[in-house]
Amino acid sequence: DAKTTQPPSMDCAEGRAANLPCNHSTISGNEYVYWYRQIHSQGPQYIIHGLKNNETNEMASLIITEDRKSSTLILPHATLRDTAVYYCIVTSGAGSYQLTFGKGTKLSVIP
Amino acid sequence: NAGVTQTPKFRVLKTGQSMTLLCAQDMNHEYMYWYRQDPGMGLRLIHYSVGEGTTAKGEVPDGYNVSRLKKQNFLLGLESAAPSQTSVYFCASSDAGLGGETQYFGPGTRLLVL
């Protein structure tokens, strides 16, 4: 699976959009981009995933560049409950079985 | 639906003792996983199962054994606990096939080995 690079930490004002970047320059054509988050002391929570197209669900939006070498997770209106570590993971899809969690980005939402 | 549950939530062991961590899921998922998370680090896969009666090794399997006798349960065993196994253990489950990486995690078991 391709390696990902994320900033170690970011701040965001409450109510504003949080944009979390992820670089995955070695991603191959059949690899997906997944985002998870882990709120302090809890189990990781799935947020969203995508292959080529941008995706949106009730939690967030995922923007993938045309060359697929980077992506951005967008939380449209960050709340204090969004304070967490966010993990960007690249995986080859069915059969890979393993999610490789790096150190992620610690997002702090500030009142 | 309870989702993924883990028992116990917290445990203290002495070196050399044994214990079993229980994971249960009520989503009828085929795949189940055990991860460990050490301070300041991401999760690492210990063992996983792609169906009832099957298990396989992950990234850090040494010192652990697993069993999947029922589809809804995945047990993680420590036969002789060591201080290096002090960690937080997370269980997860997912559907088979495409999208298997959409995993649902339990709340974790905190294990301290003295």
Side-chain angles (χ1 to χ4, degrees):
Chain A
D1 294 340
K3 182 179 177 180
T4 61
T5 303
Q6 299 177 253
S9 64
M10 293 181 62
D11 292 338
C12 177
E14 188 178 17
R16 303 295 295 269
N19 297 282
L20 291 89
C22 179
N23 286 324
H24 31 79
S25 59
T26 60
I27 193 170
S28 60
N30 65 341
E31 289 184 315
Y32 289 76
V33 179
Y34 276 76
W35 284 85
Y36 282 76
R37 73 180 182 183
Q38 188 173 22
I39 297 170
H40 180 63
S41 298
Q42 299 181 19
Q45 177 188 24
Y46 164 80
I47 301 173
I48 198 168
H49 74 281
L51 181 62
K52 296 180 181 179
N53 300 321
N54 297 337
E55 302 287 345
T56 295
N57 63 20
E58 64 278 4
M59 290 183 66
S61 294
L62 174 60
I63 307 299
I64 302 175
T65 58
E66 192 169 344
D67 63 9
R68 302 186 69 238
K69 292 185 177 181
S70 65
S71 61
T72 301
L73 178 75
I74 301 173
L75 307 178
H77 304 287
T79 70
L80 298 179
R81 288 176 296 180
D82 293 321
T83 292
V85 177
Y86 287 77
Y87 297 98
C88 170
I89 300 168
V90 170
T91 182
S92 60
S96 64
Y97 307 128
Q98 181 168 346
L99 295 175
T100 301
F101 288 81
K103 294 189 175 182
T105 296
K106 174 68 191 308
L107 174 68
S108 298
V109 180
I110 302 169
Chain B
N1 287 350
V4 178
T5 57
Q6 294 183 230
T7 308
K9 290 184 172 56
F10 178 71
R11 184 77 183 267
V12 179
L13 287 179
K14 294 181 179 179
T15 297
Q17 288 185 320
S18 63
M19 78 165 294
T20 300
L21 283 67
L22 171 64
C23 176
Q25 53 96 4
D26 62 2
M27 295 173 282
N28 201 35
H29 285 164
E30 287 293 333
Y31 297 173
M32 295 187 75
Y33 316 80
W34 275 106
Y35 292 87
R36 63 175 287 174
Q37 184 173 33
D38 300 308
M41 297 184 66
L43 280 73
R44 293 182 292 171
L45 184 66
I46 305 171
H47 285 279
Y48 63 93
S49 168
V50 300
E52 183 178 322
T54 71
T55 63
K57 295 179 179 180
E59 180 186 356
V60 288
D62 293 342
Y64 305 95
N65 56 75
V66 288
S67 63
R68 184 101 181 268
L69 298 180
K70 294 183 179 180
K71 185 177 183 179
Q72 64 268 33
N73 295 337
F74 195 28
L75 279 62
L76 178 71
L78 286 72
E79 290 187 349
S80 180
S84 61
Q85 295 178 302
T86 292
S87 190
V88 181
Y89 293 85
F90 291 101
C91 176
S93 70
S94 68
D95 280 327
L98 191 63
E101 287 73 15
T102 303
Q103 297 181 13
Y104 298 85
F105 285 80
T109 294
R110 283 148 185 78
L111 176 65
L112 174 62
V113 182
L114 301 176

